[in-house]
Amino acid sequence: MTAATPSPPMIKAEAVNKYFGDLHVLKDINLEVPSGQVVVVLGPSGSGKSTLCRAINRLEPINSGAIAIDGTPLPAEGKALAALRADVGMVFQQFNLFAHKTIVENVTLAPQKVRKVSSAEARKTAMELLDRVGITDQADKYPAQLSGGQQQRVAIARALAMRPKVMLFDEPTSALDPEMVQEVLDTMTGLAKDGMTMLVVTHEMGFARKAAHRVVFMSDGEIVEDSTPNDFFTNPRSDRAKDFLGKILTH
Ligand SMILES: Nc1ncnc2c1ncn2[C@@H]1O[C@H](COP(=O)(O)OP(=O)(O)OP(=O)(O)O)[C@@H](O)[C@H]1O
Ligand SMILES: [Mg+2]
């Protein structure tokens, strides 16, 4: 009997090392994320969470190791990199919308420029995505006219407009007023339910418990634990994870 060829992991990081000068910020990182899985990355400040996201998107070069998206190794530079990077959507703490462009223009810009989509097609897709994140009525406004939560949902729609295979979120709700956090988390939960592969750095433990398939805990540039949310929260194995959870859960 021959087994079906398994599909490659959507994200694969193998023995990844990254230095900033003498500072070793990613230490032999091995991580595989299968298609459709939601992984929450937790860890103290400075543990390397953002650097890991940026390395996966090649915003940061790595010193050794390999990263592949959907079975294709990330090239170092050039057109192939631009194409592959378009497969990886990224949402940051700061939304970085173009202030002088309307909401719908913010969402149509990259598909037209990078994916060479027609303006009519780009607008149609943008309106569908704005509907998905619940803000079609804001389409012709400018970013400054929207709340922080609405702007972050535009940033998610903008990333989705490139039809990424993977979405990376780096503390997407950390800059928001508390009453706007849930609407962004709900949007992300919807995306997860639709089967998007997601790597999410967040301090929102409710999201980690409910939406994540897996929790990866980083400390000092290393992956120290990699388990189910339930295992991680109820039975952390390392002292570093216990210490981290003690601090955030009593906070
Ligand atoms: N561009 C840079 N140049 C030099 N050092 C950097 C740079 N970016 C990050 N670092 C250092 O690398 C380490 C990892 O930083 P990183 O931003 O990945 O941590 P983090 O886990 O995302 O932290 P936080 O929770 O505060 O966002 C830290 O010691 C940080 O000071
Ligand atoms: Mg960070």
Side-chain angles (χ1 to χ4, degrees):
M1 207 172 75
T2 48
T5 313
S7 48
M10 197 51 95
I11 304 172
K12 182 170 185 175
E14 249 184 312
V16 169
N17 285 283
K18 165 77 185 171
Y19 294 82
F20 284 116
D22 291 338
L23 193 64
H24 197 177
V25 286
L26 295 179
K27 298 175 184 166
D28 198 33
I29 296 289
N30 291 289
L31 178 69
E32 283 192 19
V33 181
S35 179
Q37 196 173 67
V38 178
V39 176
V40 162
V41 181
L42 300 176
S45 181
S47 55
K49 306 179 298 293
S50 295
T51 307
L52 177 63
C53 286
R54 294 170 59 81
I56 290 170
N57 204 17
R58 264 297 195 268
L59 292 167
E60 287 291 354
I62 55 178
N63 295 91
S64 66
I67 298 174
I69 301 296
D70 199 16
T72 307
L74 275 183
E77 54 195 20
K79 275 202 171 157
L81 175 60
L84 212 62
R85 195 184 269 157
D87 285 340
V88 183
M90 187 146 176
V91 174
F92 302 90
Q93 182 172 334
Q94 299 304 334
F95 339 120
N96 299 318
L97 299 176
F98 296 109
H100 57 287
K101 301 232 178 261
T102 64
I103 297 309
V104 69
E105 285 166 355
N106 265 278
V107 181
T108 55
L109 204 64
Q112 288 187 80
K113 279 203 164 164
V114 182
R115 295 261 199 235
K116 306 295 177 201
V117 172
S118 74
S119 79
E121 180 65 24
R123 189 177 168 94
K124 184 168 167 279
T125 305
M127 293 309 291
E128 286 165 11
L129 290 170
L130 290 176
D131 185 41
R132 188 161 165 192
V133 302
I135 38 177
T136 36
D137 48 342
Q138 312 292 331
D140 297 312
K141 290 189 182 169
Y142 287 86
Q145 296 173 286
L146 270 60
S147 72
Q150 289 171 326
Q151 289 188 59
Q152 190 60 302
R153 286 183 284 150
V154 175
I156 293 171
R158 180 178 59 177
L160 292 174
M162 294 296 280
R163 307 239 177 259
K165 293 178 173 176
V166 176
M167 285 284 283
L168 308 176
F169 293 86
D170 191 1
E171 302 201 27
T173 60
S174 298
L176 298 176
D177 291 337
E179 70 270 23
M180 290 165 196
V181 168
Q182 198 55 46
E183 64 194 45
V184 172
L185 294 178
D186 288 346
T187 301
M188 292 165 60
T189 303
L191 207 54
K193 287 209 174 105
D194 289 345
M196 178 61 80
T197 309
M198 295 166 51
L199 190 75
V200 184
V201 179
T202 184
H203 300 300
E204 294 295 331
M205 296 303 142
F207 179 84
R209 280 176 185 278
K210 275 187 252 152
H213 299 106
R214 194 169 147 200
V215 167
V216 164
F217 173 72
M218 290 184 72
S219 177
D220 294 322
E222 291 173 303
I223 293 181
V224 178
E225 304 211 12
D226 185 343
S227 55
T228 63
N230 193 46
D231 263 7
F232 181 75
F233 289 112
T234 57
N235 187 25
R237 287 181 295 270
S238 63
D239 287 341
R240 286 190 274 186
K242 284 177 195 162
D243 182 53
F244 174 79
L245 283 172
K247 280 180 187 139
I248 51 158
L249 298 179
T250 55
H251 170 75

